[in-house]
Amino acid sequence: MAQKTTDLRNLTAVVTGGSRGIGRAIAEALACADAQVVISSANAANLAEAERAMQAAGLKVSGVRCDVSNRLEVEALAATAAERMGRIDLWVNNAGISGPFGYVLDVPPEAWEQVIKVNLLGTYYGCRAALPYMIKQRNGQIINLSGGGAKRPQRFLSAYSVSKAGIVRLTEAFARDYQDHPYLRFNVLTPGMVPTDMINHFETVGPGGEAIKQLPRVLNIFGTTAEETAELALRIVREGKNGQIFEVMPRHRAIWRLLKAALRRKQ
């Protein structure tokens, strides 16, 4: 857990998918900076555990169960958060799933559709739920987490890639539509490959089961940490930019990692 500081003491934030992995790291980083945070998860047990742990550490964090693929539940999350905290200054759309790892036609259509519902529609629902509060208070920022697929499709992860590319365009659309609202900010945060439960427990179909055996090697080269993503999230909050894409693993860093891996192989 990050060391406690006090530079965001007046900030209120909602982090979807905040009970584990990247979302939890972001929520902890915000709360350690003395922000007041509401986290959500579709899993009630995970949510309760995260809420207990962070509150035991003295952090101002509370949980609300929410399935982000359900628009009404997301709207209820926003209403509950606003009631508890008095306002919503920051909304982080982090909740996401990968879906099965396999060829497009091997993935059941309902599983493919669910990835789009959770990742892309869930992000849209979050933006749509948070914005009225931010417009009313004339202040607010939204951070949408993208990922692999934002620039080019990830093999065997077609739905995930489509959803993450869509999140980038969605964020840019909000930034352009609301450019005459200078008190609003919309940015994209793209983590690197973080070994969270989502990556460590891929469901595979067809030849995807063989291809995924290469994942540990790829993670060894390009892997990042949830804490790095959380640090970048704090930077976004503090910098005040709008309509930008922030990457934990930008191109120059990825190239450097590849060069290091190549040098290791030669030794």
Side-chain angles (χ1 to χ4, degrees):
M1 186 175 291
Q3 185 175 356
K4 204 172 191 310
T5 63
T6 57
D7 62 343
L8 296 178
R9 66 180 63 189
N10 295 318
L11 186 85
T12 62
V14 175
V15 181
T16 68
S19 67
R20 297 187 300 172
I22 292 171
R24 182 161 175 169
I26 292 174
E28 287 179 345
L30 290 167
C32 283
D34 219 23
Q36 187 177 354
V37 184
V38 168
I39 59 173
S40 78
S41 172
N43 187 305
N46 290 341
L47 183 66
E49 184 279 326
E51 183 180 37
R52 283 194 302 268
M54 286 189 264
Q55 289 179 353
L59 303 180
K60 293 178 287 188
V61 177
S62 62
V64 177
R65 190 203 166 279
C66 176
D67 175 358
V68 298
S69 69
N70 184 314
R71 178 175 56 83
L72 296 181
E73 290 193 20
V74 179
E75 291 173 356
L77 168 63
T80 301
E83 182 180 2
R84 287 184 185 178
M85 301 186 295
R87 56 190 291 121
I88 301 173
D89 299 312
L90 170 67
W91 187 287
V92 181
N93 283 305
N94 164 77
I97 59 175
S98 64
F101 193 87
Y103 285 116
V104 179
L105 292 183
D106 288 341
V107 177
E110 58 273 15
W112 206 97
E113 292 165 0
Q114 184 64 14
V115 175
I116 302 300
K117 289 177 182 177
V118 172
N119 296 0
L120 183 54
L121 289 180
T123 297
Y124 162 69
Y125 295 154
C127 294
R128 193 177 188 280
L131 267 181
Y133 297 95
M134 295 177 175
I135 292 172
K136 183 177 180 180
Q137 68 201 26
R138 296 184 65 80
N139 176 68
Q141 56 181 308
I142 293 174
I143 299 175
N144 295 328
L145 270 77
S146 184
K151 291 183 176 180
R152 62 190 63 84
Q154 301 293 302
R155 194 178 186 205
F156 299 120
L157 285 173
S158 58
Y160 182 84
S161 297
V162 169
S163 71
K164 294 303 183 179
I167 285 170
V168 174
R169 297 288 86 80
L170 176 69
T171 307
E172 292 171 341
F174 271 108
R176 293 198 67 180
D177 281 357
Y178 291 90
Q179 60 187 351
D180 57 343
H181 294 60
Y183 50 83
L184 296 177
R185 287 185 277 150
F186 306 87
N187 291 294
V188 173
L189 170 52
T190 302
M193 295 187 67
V194 181
T196 61
D197 286 346
M198 185 174 72
I199 285 183
N200 291 330
H201 298 94
F202 271 125
E203 175 189 352
T204 62
V205 291
E210 285 299 313
I212 205 169
K213 293 178 181 179
Q214 300 300 317
L215 185 59
R217 183 177 65 84
V218 176
L219 276 171
N220 190 49
I221 298 174
F222 297 110
T224 61
T225 68
E227 289 70 28
E228 287 180 279
T229 302
E231 288 172 9
L232 185 52
L234 289 183
R235 183 181 135 201
I236 296 171
V237 171
R238 292 166 178 147
E239 285 190 356
K241 294 182 179 179
N242 183 41
Q244 303 294 309
I245 300 173
F246 294 82
E247 297 178 89
V248 174
M249 184 63 68
R251 181 177 175 82
H252 68 272
R253 189 181 183 192
I255 292 173
W256 174 240
R257 290 282 189 91
L258 277 171
L259 288 172
K260 287 176 66 177
L263 288 172
R264 285 197 300 267
R265 285 197 299 270
K266 290 180 179 180
Q267 291 174 354

